[in-house]
Amino acid sequence: MACFSSGAAIAPPATSRAPGTRRRSLRQAVKNGVDPRASDTTFLAELIRGANHCVFITGAGISTNAGIRDYRGPNGIWTEAAAAGAKEGAPGVWDDDLYRTIPAATPTIAHGGIKALVDLGHVAFVISQNEDGLHLRSGLDRAKLSELHGNDFIEICQKCKRETFRSFVTYWPDTYRPTNPLGQHVTGRSCPHCGGEGLSCGLQVGYQMPHFPGALHARRRSTTHHLGALLDTCVDFDEAPDGDEVWGPNQVHGMARADDAMKKADLVVAWGTSLHVIAHYFDPWDPESAFLDRREEACSLAVINKGTVCDEELAVLKIEEDVDAAMAALLEELQIPRPPEYAPSEDAILLAAVEPPQGQRRPRAEWSIAGGAVPQGYS
């Protein structure tokens, strides 16, 4: 099952990557010029001020205050599945209400605060594991954002590779599934840029995961490419963004940009994520990681998240606090004004959204962002 809103789109497989075996001491913080006796918020602020290339990683936890469930939190989807004796990603293990909470959600202070940190140069890049589009809707510069697991409101043309923004969730009805009659990820809508009909050409191709240290390795399988078809960008289980995957390199997933940012990072801040999935892509904070083959030394890791976090023993700081409260405190410490309230008139997705022609698939109103056009007669 794909992960549509926030968090891990890919269930982490067994990995040969050895877990961290030593705890970073606060001596690392002193080395970086930060007084370890400072409050957690002051400590975090000084880490960010002192970083040359700070990268934020966000996950499902950043969107729970927007009304979207997370995965490994106390009431998370995978937590609930485990309590019922089910397996992550197993058929039927999902929350169907999640489909409607995604377009109903709006950016929170955490999303707006990250945008402010990027705009002011405190944060160089943001890697999101979420498909809810809330970073983009907060106004975050796309050049400094990688949505590793896709964006529910963006389609990509298989032929011309250009994007089409929608005001509704593009994977309705479950186009991300291999059982989709049109072919996996094919939405059935035509490309407004090249006029592609969105029909299968019947070309069978194989693909596999891109090769880079720390990458997930999925089974090789065949799929049907649809020349001229619009594809949802939701990464399903056993898939990977970019590379030789069905979409190819693209601006939504931005794997190359994310990889480059992690090579340069001297501080990674995990905000609302358990890191259980992202650590299989890259983990430059782990001195034993294969990812460090392309780096001189491990970077610092700071974590703002409730619950257990992968590699948390390597973090110089962990704050177990509500993500919005932690952001409000950080902004105050850095003397940055609170972000303005969300306004549909400034929503980057709504501003760029294109309505499909009459007769082409479009979901019901509950799948649409409030403020977006919902033509009569569509279902």
Side-chain angles (χ1 to χ4, degrees):
M1 181 70 67
C3 169
F4 304 105
S5 64
S6 323
I10 307 171
T15 175
S16 59
R17 186 180 68 85
T21 57
R22 68 179 180 86
R23 179 181 295 275
R24 287 280 188 95
S25 75
L26 291 181
R27 286 183 300 220
Q28 179 69 30
V30 176
K31 177 183 175 183
N32 292 342
V34 179
D35 183 352
R37 295 168 298 180
S39 71
D40 286 348
T41 301
T42 300
F43 192 4
L44 177 60
E46 290 305 313
L47 286 171
I48 292 173
R49 283 195 186 105
N52 292 318
H53 198 90
C54 176
V55 175
F56 267 44
I57 299 174
T58 64
I62 198 176
S63 297
T64 53
N65 287 339
I68 302 174
R69 291 181 70 189
D70 64 8
Y71 294 85
R72 293 182 174 86
N75 300 309
I77 295 171
W78 297 154
T79 304
E80 186 179 274
K87 188 178 178 181
E88 288 185 12
V93 179
W94 197 244
D95 178 0
D96 289 340
D97 288 336
L98 200 62
Y99 296 164
R100 287 173 283 278
T101 62
I102 295 163
T106 57
T108 67
I109 184 175
H111 296 96
I114 290 174
K115 174 191 180 298
L117 291 170
V118 170
D119 289 347
L120 293 171
H122 291 295
V123 174
F125 198 78
V126 178
I127 299 174
S128 177
Q129 300 164 88
N130 302 344
E131 297 180 11
D132 54 32
L134 291 177
H135 281 302
L136 196 55
R137 296 178 63 194
S138 75
L140 183 62
D141 183 356
R142 285 195 78 194
K144 298 180 179 179
L145 171 66
S146 168
E147 296 173 292
L148 278 189
H149 297 152
N151 185 308
D152 292 339
F153 304 100
I154 301 177
E155 297 171 297
I156 294 177
C157 179
Q158 182 64 45
K159 181 179 180 181
C160 71
K161 306 298 184 182
R162 295 177 70 179
E163 299 173 339
T164 299
F165 284 69
R166 304 295 191 188
S167 62
F168 52 84
V169 174
T170 61
Y171 59 75
W172 175 89
D174 296 345
T175 58
Y176 66 90
R177 294 178 183 272
T179 54
N180 179 11
L182 296 177
Q184 189 172 14
H185 299 295
V186 179
T187 66
R189 290 177 285 272
S190 59
C191 177
H193 305 293
C194 71
E197 295 299 324
L199 301 176
S200 169
C201 69
L203 175 65
Q204 294 293 322
V205 298
Y207 63 81
Q208 62 188 62
M209 307 293 278
H211 298 289
F212 56 87
L216 292 165
H217 294 287
R219 67 181 183 275
R220 185 174 178 87
R221 66 187 183 188
S222 64
T223 187
T224 303
H225 277 208
H226 300 259
L227 302 183
L230 284 179
L231 310 175
D232 69 55
T233 57
C234 301
V235 178
D236 195 11
F237 286 101
D238 293 333
E239 291 184 316
D242 268 15
D244 297 324
E245 203 46 275
V246 60
W247 304 276
N250 64 85
Q251 188 173 358
V252 176
H253 301 116
M255 176 62 84
R257 298 198 312 276
D259 189 63
D260 183 63
M262 282 300 208
K263 290 179 190 174
K264 298 175 181 176
D266 55 354
L267 172 65
V268 171
V269 179
W271 207 288
T273 173
S274 67
L275 294 177
H276 279 88
V277 171
I278 198 76
H280 293 275
Y281 288 100
F282 17 60
D283 52 355
W285 54 82
D286 187 345
E288 300 177 1
S289 171
F291 190 84
L292 292 185
D293 291 346
R294 294 174 290 163
R295 292 176 52 99
E296 293 182 359
E297 61 180 13
C299 69
S300 296
L301 172 67
V303 174
I304 295 82
N305 190 67
K306 289 184 177 181
T308 303
V309 173
C310 179
D311 288 343
E312 65 177 51
E313 72 277 7
L314 300 178
V316 298
L317 172 69
K318 183 185 181 189
I319 300 176
E320 288 213 39
E321 188 178 0
D322 177 86
V323 291
D324 285 348
M327 179 58 72
L330 177 62
L331 295 178
E332 182 177 358
E333 182 71 31
L334 293 171
Q335 299 184 331
I336 298 173
R338 287 175 67 99
E341 293 292 325
Y342 166 78
S345 61
E346 298 178 3
D347 188 317
I349 288 179
L350 287 180
L351 290 172
V354 175
E355 285 300 312
Q358 285 283 347
Q360 292 194 5
R361 294 197 207 191
R362 195 205 194 284
R364 295 182 293 274
E366 59 263 35
W367 288 68
S368 301
I369 299 174
V374 184
Q376 295 297 316
Y378 281 63
S379 62

